[in-house]
Amino acid sequence: MLTPSRRADSPPASLQPLQALVQDNLVRVNQRILDLIDQDVPLIQQIAQHIIRSGGKRLRPSLVLACAQLCGYAGERHIGLAAAVEFLHTATLLHDDVVDESTLRRGDETANAIWSNQASVLVGDFLLSRAFQLMVRDGSLPILALLSDTSAIISQGEVMQMAAAGDLATSEEDYLRIIDAKTAALFSAAAAIGGLMTDRPQAECEALGRYGRSLGIAFQLVDDALDYAASQAVLGKAVGDDFREGKITLPVILAHRAGTAEEKAFWERTLGEGDQRDGDLDEALRLIEAHGALQATFARAHAYAEDAIAQLRLFPATPERAALEEAARFAVERSF
Amino acid sequence: MLTPSRRADSPPASLQPLQALVQDNLVRVNQRILDLIDQDVPLIQQIAQHIIRSGGKRLRPSLVLACAQLCGYAGERHIGLAAAVEFLHTATLLHDDVVDESTLRRGDETANAIWSNQASVLVGDFLLSRAFQLMVRDGSLPILALLSDTSAIISQGEVMQMAAAGDLATSEEDYLRIIDAKTAALFSAAAAIGGLMTDRPQAECEALGRYGRSLGIAFQLVDDALDYAASQAVLGKAVGDDFREGKITLPVILAHRAGTAEEKAFWERTLGEGDQRDGDLDEALRLIEAHGALQATFARAHAYAEDAIAQLRLFPATPERAALEEAARFAVERSF
């Protein structure tokens, strides 16, 4: 039910092939990251280590490594660039948690909850600066251009998301524009770096960028669906976080659009005005289910995953390509 | 009394010569800045325009322009680089006001007071990213290296300052390290860019960097002194802001160090524990005065201004050099 896109005749997709391919290099990326925050301001070290160690799937640096391998890269530069991408992402997480007033991320206390919002803001700035230092040391102006553009787009997406909070006039198009900017842009850049590093033809760089973008949109769509579907144990965040924060995600947009006047009034009260009472989350889950809004969200995610996979046809059928294809299937089949 | 460094036989120093030299180009920098934030996320536009328009002296972009002129630069690149430096500075201001929970800056309401901390955090991120986009478009890796290092140093300085808040064990050396990072590093980079752009010999680039650094330290020392000396009308911030925020600045460090056990207990209660009562600010002003701590702070600022001026001896005696020398004298003679 959570994974309407998996065909009955295929085995469940997994991130394992991708992880196995990049495993050795990812250890080196992690070491590089820890080396670069191991300096003489203790608070920076504590917070940066906390957020980096609580780390999640390391999808973005894995994409940098795997796409570089896909393009036949055999040097050392992808280690530093993968670290730069992870620093960019980590800076965003720190600021995100401040903006959302979150206290939990993947089951761990957030940095702003342990230290303070102030510390999270400043250490996020530090990590963003470190990301640019790493890119500058790499020395590729096209990659610097891509990642500085991406960094601006991410913050635009975050601002758009904040402005859309509680706004039930947010359309499906607005929503896609937001997740494209706040999530998919960095996935896209991470994938495209492999092509830029190896001076591949423009068509291949663009295909990699579009693979990453469609993968990122699929991941975010499923994240937003799981927030109305998963249990805390598997997702590491409570069901209904987005509901409580008044975030207007696709399941809500679809249920609201299809709802009766009375249902629209429910969404307006709970998300528009933020007036939430006991039982409201259950009612939200019921309405989303009743209108097939989760199914529809998963279906859109599935289409983006298919688009991601289609981009890889330009490349030879290597284990790298197979692992990247499976990562896209995993994005939509996962329940965590 | 506020300006112990001015000799009786010299006219008061002014920023006017510097401002006159860069005036035309500064108009272009301001226009470039407004063009670059004139895009389609309304909240970014509003906040960025607010903070950039409430703008202050534009010292940092003026330094970029004047030092480029000092080095004989005749192209267009300094406009974009001056804008990048101002974007970096503006991003810092937005995040600073969140960290300090400030509601007033130069007499205007702060962005976090008008909009929200959340919006200030995200728009600060956007401006920081825009700064890097501008540097990347300029295309000089040495300048990118200088400014990405500077950006990391600034955030280290901000974190150190936050960690030192209320800590009366902060030494004069700690304090200098903090203001060197959070303020002087960007002044230094702004000045050095002129040398890097024009491929001047390393000694000249270093001299410009040290001019900017010493100028920045002098400015910050005087700012911190005026916070215990100026009236709100001239400084645009209330006397005693630093006291109320528990900031440990040099006047406090010197008065504390010279104080009796009873006086040390006063500083510990008011700044260490943040237990402030009616009359405490007056008592702080009295103790700072009694121990000559303002005079001593101005004297140190004066020494840094002299060091700044000495760095310019490598350069021919042009109107640019004279204006930069006078800016250093102004830094310590001003009462606002």
Side-chain angles (χ1 to χ4, degrees), chain A residues 73-304:
Chain A
Y73 184 70
E76 290 293 312
R77 288 172 56 201
H78 57 346
I79 305 298
L81 288 169
V85 165
E86 187 68 1
F87 273 126
L88 265 185
H89 173 56
T90 309
T92 307
L93 291 186
L94 275 170
H95 287 182
D96 248 7
D97 285 338
V98 170
V99 169
D100 293 345
E101 299 171 352
S102 304
T103 56
L104 277 184
R105 177 175 287 280
R106 297 199 196 90
D108 287 337
E109 264 194 294
T110 55
N112 50 311
I114 300 176
W115 289 277
S116 63
N117 283 336
Q118 283 98 330
S120 290
V121 170
L122 296 178
V123 175
D125 291 348
F126 172 77
L127 294 175
L128 187 57
S129 305
R130 266 283 187 270
F132 281 102
Q133 286 181 297
L134 274 164
M135 298 171 216
V136 171
R137 278 180 216 166
D138 176 69
S140 159
L141 282 168
I143 292 175
L144 270 159
L146 175 64
L147 285 172
S148 60
D149 289 351
T150 301
S151 179
I153 289 168
I154 292 170
S155 49
Q156 286 171 340
E158 299 278 349
V159 173
M160 287 190 284
Q161 175 175 263
M162 189 187 63
D167 181 2
L168 285 154
T170 306
S171 66
E172 181 171 355
E173 192 182 19
D174 296 332
Y175 165 83
L176 280 171
R177 200 167 151 235
I178 291 170
I179 69 172
D180 201 355
K182 76 164 184 147
T183 304
L186 189 56
F187 276 78
S188 176
I193 284 173
L196 291 172
M197 283 175 59
T198 49
D199 294 320
R200 307 295 289 192
Q202 192 181 346
E204 291 186 22
C205 293
E206 284 175 7
L208 285 172
R210 182 159 159 189
Y211 164 82
R213 174 175 177 259
S214 290
L215 177 67
I217 292 177
F219 254 103
Q220 187 64 57
L221 282 164
V222 171
D223 254 7
D224 291 346
L226 292 176
D227 200 73
Y228 287 96
S231 72
Q232 181 158 12
V234 291
L235 190 63
K237 68 175 191 175
V239 171
D241 272 357
D242 291 345
F243 183 74
R244 277 183 287 271
E245 291 168 11
K247 278 195 189 152
I248 309 298
T249 58
L250 191 58
V252 169
I253 291 169
L254 297 177
H256 176 265
R257 193 165 73 190
T260 63
E262 191 186 347
E263 290 171 15
K264 285 190 165 73
F266 167 82
W267 293 114
E268 199 51 65
R269 169 175 65 78
T270 54
L271 297 180
E273 298 156 27
D275 171 13
Q276 298 189 4
R277 306 165 193 168
D278 281 356
D280 279 347
L281 177 58
D282 287 339
E283 175 65 4
L285 293 169
R286 195 188 67 74
L287 293 177
I288 284 170
E289 174 67 27
H291 291 292
L294 280 193
Q295 288 276 9
T297 301
F298 281 117
R300 282 164 177 76
H302 184 68
Y304 279 101

Side-chain angles (χ1 to χ4, degrees), chain A residues 39-40 43 95 99 101 118 122 125-126 128-129 132-133 139 141 149 151-152 155-156 158-159 162 177, chain B residues 39-40 43 95 99 101 118 122 125-126 128-129 132-133 139 141 149 151-152 155-156 158-159 162 177:
Chain A
Q39 42 82 47
D40 52 6
L43 191 58
H95 287 182
V99 169
E101 299 171 352
Q118 283 98 330
L122 296 178
D125 291 348
F126 172 77
L128 187 57
S129 305
F132 281 102
Q133 286 181 297
L141 282 168
D149 289 351
S151 179
S155 49
Q156 286 171 340
E158 299 278 349
V159 173
M162 189 187 63
R177 200 167 151 235
Chain B
Q39 40 84 48
D40 52 7
L43 191 58
H95 287 182
V99 169
E101 299 171 352
Q118 283 99 327
L122 297 178
D125 291 348
F126 172 77
L128 187 57
S129 305
F132 281 103
Q133 286 180 297
L141 282 168
D149 289 351
S151 179
S155 48
Q156 287 171 341
E158 299 277 350
V159 173
M162 189 186 65
R177 200 167 152 236

